Amino acid sequence: MEMTRTNYSSGAPLEEKAGYSRMVTVGPFIYLGGTTSVKSDGIVHGENDPYEQAKFIFDKLLKIMEKADAGAENVVKVKAYVTDMKYAPEVARAYSEYFLNIKPLFTMVGTTMLNRPTQLVEIEMDAIKY
């Protein structure tokens, strides 16, 4: 099995400035870094709405996965961080719209804060091409 590493950017300016990738593939393994609902213009999508933020994030992550010829069916692990566990049902509802029948591992953790007060959800995923 060839284990070539490829870094992918979503085009966010901070990726280049800070030196990180949105997605890294190594052979068949796909790793998607923690992502929030910040749009390309820097504005947070779905302010104060954890469901809308989660949907935006899943769409963003699945879109970049297309660059690696992968999709939702390849996802094996999802990790969500929420600034208040009262948002868990709404994030889980968004998650289920993408993964109900795929059934990857899913962990949701409460955290005190994200980068901005209006960011309520951050999500990262792991996938495998098979």
Side-chain angles (χ1 to χ4, degrees), residues 33-38 45 50-63 81 98 114 120-125:
T35 301
T36 60
S37 65
V38 176
H45 174 84
Y51 171 78
E52 282 299 320
Q53 288 190 18
K55 278 190 60 92
F56 182 90
I57 296 165
F58 285 126
D59 285 340
K60 186 175 185 177
L61 292 174
L62 291 171
K63 181 160 182 61
Y81 305 91
Y98 297 88
L114 295 172
L120 309 176
V121 182
E122 183 165 337
I123 298 170
E124 59 183 71
M125 301 191 312

Side-chain angles (χ1 to χ4, degrees), residues 1-124:
M1 171 187 326
E2 187 171 332
M3 298 298 279
T4 302
R5 175 190 173 121
T6 305
N7 295 358
Y8 296 84
S9 172
S10 69
L14 189 57
E15 291 173 19
E16 197 59 37
K17 184 177 180 180
Y20 69 91
S21 297
R22 178 69 50 205
M23 178 174 73
V24 175
T25 62
V26 179
F29 304 103
I30 303 168
Y31 305 98
L32 296 119
T35 301
T36 60
S37 65
V38 176
K39 299 185 291 187
S40 59
D41 61 6
I43 295 173
V44 174
H45 174 84
E47 283 193 13
N48 301 312
D49 188 334
Y51 171 78
E52 282 299 320
Q53 288 190 18
K55 278 190 60 92
F56 182 90
I57 296 165
F58 285 126
D59 285 340
K60 186 175 185 177
L61 292 174
L62 291 171
K63 181 160 182 61
I64 197 166
M65 283 181 68
E66 292 174 2
K67 294 180 179 181
D69 296 319
E73 68 280 0
N74 299 102
V75 175
V76 295
K77 187 173 187 180
V78 176
K79 293 168 267 182
Y81 305 91
V82 294
T83 57
D84 192 318
M85 287 306 290
K86 72 182 179 187
Y87 303 140
E90 293 302 301
V91 173
R93 180 167 63 106
Y95 163 88
S96 294
E97 291 177 16
Y98 297 88
F99 301 107
L100 181 67
N101 295 318
I102 299 167
K103 299 186 184 339
L105 301 170
F106 182 41
T107 300
M108 194 174 329
V109 177
T111 186
T112 56
M113 66 184 341
L114 295 172
N115 191 43
R116 301 180 197 178
T118 55
Q119 292 173 318
L120 309 176
V121 182
E122 183 165 337
I123 298 170
E124 59 183 71

